[in-house]
Amino acid sequence: MDQFTVNLWVKMEPFIVGALQIPPPSKLSLHYLRKMSTYVRMHSSEGYYPYLFWPMWRHIACGKLQLEKDLAWLYFELFDSLVERTAEERLEWAEVMLSCATEEEAEKQRNKLSVDTLQFLLFLYIQQLNKVSLRTSLVGEEWPNLKSKSYGLTGESTNQIKNWNDSYHQAFIQNHLQDLLELLLDPDQLSASSHSTHNSLVTSEAVRALSFLIEGSVNNNRTVHPLHQLALWQPLHASSGFSKISKAFSFPKLESWLRTCLTGNPFGTSACLKSGNKLAWAQQVEGATKRAKIACNTHMVPSAHRMVVMSQVYKQTLAKSSDTLEDSHVKIHRCCESFIYLLSPLRSVSIEKCRNSTFVLGPVQTVVHLHSCDNVKVIAVCRRLSLSSTTSCTLHILTPTRPLILLGNQAITFAPFHTHYPMLEDHMGRTGLATVPNYWDNPMLVCKDNCDWKVFRFLSPSEFYPFVVPFEMEGDTTEIPGGLPPAYQNGLSQREQRIQVWQKTVKEAGLTKDQRKRFQVLVENKFYEWLVHTGNRQQLDSLVLPAAGPKQAAG
């Protein structure tokens, strides 16, 4: 056995994409999830186990756990976004929902959906990631009031999400490993107090479900294996506790093996910052107190673990459409007074602690999350949008799911998606995102007890202007996918008519050559004032790209 060294680590994607950035409902505690684990097995013949259908989860969530139906569907749909499906399957589902004429028809289609029951239990459990602990808050690690920003001894804000912290993911799994394993046990393997015993056996199906959270490699090889493949590998049976006779794992041995082999994620944020490629996408600008930092791991990791981390871009325009970005998880941190274009299909995007900036994103396959941002504009097609602790942010969004308003937000403005670039529709097809349904104007207040409908508004058509991506690229998209809502399109048409009337008035005014010259200077001055007032002058001055556009070398 000495020749085999197994390294296991916690996968990042379930936490980046799947863990909501809020404390979970009290009814998703371990106590109730254990009851659910027993209940689904007792009703396995009714669509509860091994696959849990939407009507059955709705029954458990609304009838047993007292969750609202919208929240029950949110968890179900959020988990589904983590399930590996082709872009074609995602687009087919969009067509099915589009064909439904009534909510009743749509619900009938949703009733056909199912998820892996044991994996879904684990997914519900990791919602505890952002649970606020009164014990830790008393010693300064957390503060229970999520609406206010508190600061620790280091001066760093303690009001921060943990979804990108791979060290915290590892500690979370280590600290809760016994609970996770007990959640997967068959009821007859539990004691009267719902705990494991020394003789408890863990089924292969349970270990397969745990692969939702854990993967690994052998002898530091770059080939990544799901947990269950390693645990069931013949040379590791003695260590993992697998018995060919019972065709199951000894609970104590399996737990011990997992604890021994769990280590840091070699493809996580920490490794990316430490060993990833440092990219010279941003320049050091005079007046910046810290140097811009951009790192990626795409050259050294399997495709499912691609990551780009961007921090402290200051007062410049940055644009990229490259292989480095494609299908990557992107974290944008502490950027200020900048215009950032990432025009490639992306896996997820997290924008944290940024201010006075505009972000134009390629289609995002899973989620765009904003946290602790001030006066930020985001323009994106994405499967899901969520917001926490943001102020005065404007979101021009095309999304097939309801935008999530979490805790601590103020003065949010929602608006329709209003731009295009030549490769946009091709990128949308590759990420499985369609133009309909589009729920940009149907946000969901996830924490109704701590916020109200006054935290957001919809942009008035009179304030609306389309956005032009100022770069040349190859591609076939020449207009906004799906068009604009009628009210906004009518507003643009009326404005264009007023411009035409004004131009006609100027043309028919009979100005002399000298008057036309002075009038032109006046218009140019007014235009310059508008550029300065809107910040567009800074965007033009801070361009760091050649005229050819954002497509540059992949690194």
Side-chain angles (χ1 to χ4, degrees):
M1 287 302 299
D2 292 340
Q3 69 269 34
F4 297 115
T5 301
V6 177
N7 289 320
L8 302 176
W9 58 84
V10 180
K11 297 162 68 173
M12 283 197 67
E13 182 161 284
F15 294 94
I16 292 177
V17 176
L20 285 178
Q21 294 86 346
I22 52 169
S26 59
K27 291 299 180 70
L28 288 187
S29 66
L30 178 62
H31 171 75
Y32 289 101
L33 291 181
R34 280 175 172 160
K35 286 180 174 291
M36 176 178 166
S37 179
T38 300
Y39 184 86
V40 294
R41 288 174 169 90
M42 290 174 58
H43 296 80
S44 59
S45 62
E46 302 169 31
Y48 287 85
Y49 184 83
Y51 291 97
L52 180 65
F53 282 80
W54 161 240
M56 287 64 196
W57 163 239
R58 184 180 62 221
H59 169 70
I60 293 173
C62 301
K64 307 287 185 183
L65 303 179
Q66 302 300 303
L67 302 181
E68 293 187 5
K69 181 182 175 183
D70 285 348
L71 187 58
W73 174 249
L74 170 59
Y75 284 120
F76 197 84
E77 188 178 48
L78 191 57
F79 176 80
D80 182 72
S81 69
L82 288 163
V83 176
E84 187 174 342
R85 302 191 194 282
T86 65
E88 289 74 17
E89 288 173 328
R90 298 286 184 190
L91 293 172
E92 286 173 5
W93 172 250
E95 289 184 7
V96 168
M97 295 307 290
L98 180 62
S99 67
C100 298
T102 65
E103 174 58 27
E104 289 74 18
E105 291 182 15
E107 188 70 359
K108 285 183 180 180
Q109 294 299 328
R110 287 191 283 265
N111 288 343
K112 300 176 183 179
L113 297 177
S114 65
V115 295
D116 183 290
T117 306
L118 295 182
Q119 287 189 9
F120 188 61
L121 279 167
L122 295 175
F123 164 80
L124 293 176
Y125 187 87
I126 67 170
Q127 302 306 317
Q128 305 292 325
L129 179 77
N130 288 303
K131 180 179 180 180
V132 178
S133 165
L134 181 60
R135 179 185 64 80
T136 53
S137 71
L138 291 174
V139 297
E141 295 176 25
E142 295 182 354
W143 191 249
N145 182 6
L146 292 185
K147 282 191 173 182
S148 64
K149 296 181 182 179
S150 56
Y151 293 84
L153 297 176
T154 63
E156 287 294 314
S157 170
T158 58
N159 178 28
Q160 54 186 314
I161 58 176
K162 302 161 184 171
N163 299 53
W164 273 77
N165 189 332
D166 51 312
S167 298
Y168 193 89
H169 302 166
Q170 182 184 350
F172 179 86
I173 295 299
Q174 287 275 18
N175 293 338
H176 299 87
L177 184 59
Q178 181 176 346
D179 292 341
L180 289 165
L181 288 172
E182 289 179 348
L183 199 58
L184 299 175
L185 286 178
D186 287 337
D188 60 1
Q189 298 298 315
L190 293 168
S191 67
S193 59
S194 297
H195 290 289
S196 62
T197 69
H198 186 74
N199 297 319
S200 294
L201 296 177
V202 184
T203 65
S204 299
E205 291 75 17
V207 176
R208 180 182 294 272
L210 200 56
S211 296
F212 171 67
L213 297 176
I214 300 173
E215 61 189 6
S217 65
V218 179
N219 294 342
N220 293 315
N221 192 292
R222 283 292 175 181
T223 302
V224 178
H225 301 279
L227 170 65
H228 66 276
Q229 289 185 2
L230 294 171
L232 288 168
W233 189 34
Q234 172 71 37
L236 298 178
H237 283 179
S239 299
S240 66
F242 182 74
S243 167
K244 289 185 176 179
I245 297 175
S246 64
K247 294 185 179 180
F249 295 84
S250 161
F251 188 102
K253 284 189 175 182
L254 177 64
E255 182 184 4
S256 176
W257 178 68
L258 290 172
R259 291 191 184 280
T260 300
C261 295
L262 270 175
T263 186
N265 188 336
F267 311 127
T269 311
S270 303
C272 178
L273 293 173
K274 181 179 179 180
S275 307
N277 270 1
K278 304 303 184 288
L279 304 176
W281 287 0
Q283 297 179 343
Q284 183 66 10
V285 176
E286 184 178 352
T289 57
K290 295 182 179 180
R291 182 174 297 277
K293 300 174 183 177
I294 304 176
C296 76
N297 64 3
T298 53
H299 65 292
M300 53 187 285
V301 303
S303 58
H305 300 79
R306 296 165 66 92
M307 181 180 299
V308 176
V309 180
M310 182 182 303
S311 182
Q312 296 165 171
V313 176
Y314 177 67
K315 282 193 173 182
Q316 57 190 286
T317 297
L318 184 156
K320 274 288 173 178
S321 178
S322 72
D323 295 339
T324 300
L325 281 171
E326 289 188 11
D327 302 321
S328 292
H329 294 285
V330 179
K331 180 177 181 178
I332 305 172
H333 181 253
R334 292 191 184 279
C335 293
C336 178
E337 298 181 45
S338 294
F339 297 82
I340 295 176
Y341 299 78
L342 304 179
L343 306 181
S344 294
L346 309 168
R347 181 64 178 166
S348 75
V349 177
S350 179
I351 304 173
E352 301 177 23
K353 299 181 180 178
C354 295
R355 58 190 178 91
N356 304 329
S357 298
T358 295
F359 301 94
V360 186
L361 307 174
V364 181
Q365 192 172 7
T366 57
V367 64
V368 174
H369 181 69
L370 271 71
H371 177 73
S372 289
C373 291
D374 183 17
N375 193 31
V376 158
K377 178 183 290 185
V378 176
I379 304 169
V381 179
C382 57
R383 185 159 304 281
R384 183 174 303 284
L385 170 75
S386 60
L387 312 166
S388 60
S389 303
T390 64
T391 302
S392 301
C393 292
T394 300
L395 300 317
H396 288 267
I397 299 298
L398 193 166
T399 177
T401 62
R402 298 177 66 185
L404 304 182
I405 301 176
L406 307 178
L407 288 172
N409 298 288
Q410 299 177 27
I412 303 167
T413 300
F414 290 105
F417 185 73
H418 65 332
T419 194
H420 63 87
Y421 61 90
M423 289 291 292
L424 177 56
E425 289 173 307
D426 177 69
H427 290 168
M428 289 175 65
R430 288 162 59 181
T431 51
L433 290 167
T435 58
V436 287
N438 183 7
Y439 293 116
W440 71 270
D441 57 350
N442 188 21
M444 176 178 175
L445 287 174
V446 181
C447 306
K448 294 180 181 178
D449 294 339
N450 296 291
C451 60
D452 58 43
W453 297 103
K454 296 178 182 178
V455 302
F456 74 89
R457 72 180 185 100
F458 298 117
L459 188 72
S460 168
S462 64
E463 303 173 77
F464 178 80
Y465 293 87
F467 187 92
V468 177
V469 175
F471 307 110
E472 293 182 359
M473 301 171 65
E474 295 181 355
D476 299 324
T477 301
T478 58
E479 58 187 13
I480 299 169
L484 294 171
Y488 294 88
Q489 185 60 58
N490 292 337
L492 286 182
S493 299
Q494 292 172 11
R495 190 180 296 126
E496 290 172 0
Q497 290 174 3
R498 290 195 295 269
I499 292 173
Q500 292 172 1
V501 170
W502 180 80
Q503 290 174 334
K504 182 180 179 182
T505 301
V506 172
K507 185 177 180 181
E508 295 175 350
L511 299 178
T512 65
K513 184 176 181 181
D514 182 61
Q515 287 174 325
R516 286 199 302 269
K517 186 175 181 180
R518 280 186 288 164
F519 183 72
Q520 183 176 353
V521 171
L522 177 64
V523 171
E524 289 175 352
N525 288 339
K526 289 293 184 182
F527 180 64
Y528 179 82
E529 291 175 7
W530 176 83
L531 285 175
V532 174
H533 176 72
T534 59
N536 288 308
R537 174 59 193 270
Q538 178 201 322
Q539 180 177 190
L540 294 174
D541 290 346
S542 63
L543 283 169
V544 295
L545 298 169
K551 185 72 176 182
Q552 298 189 55

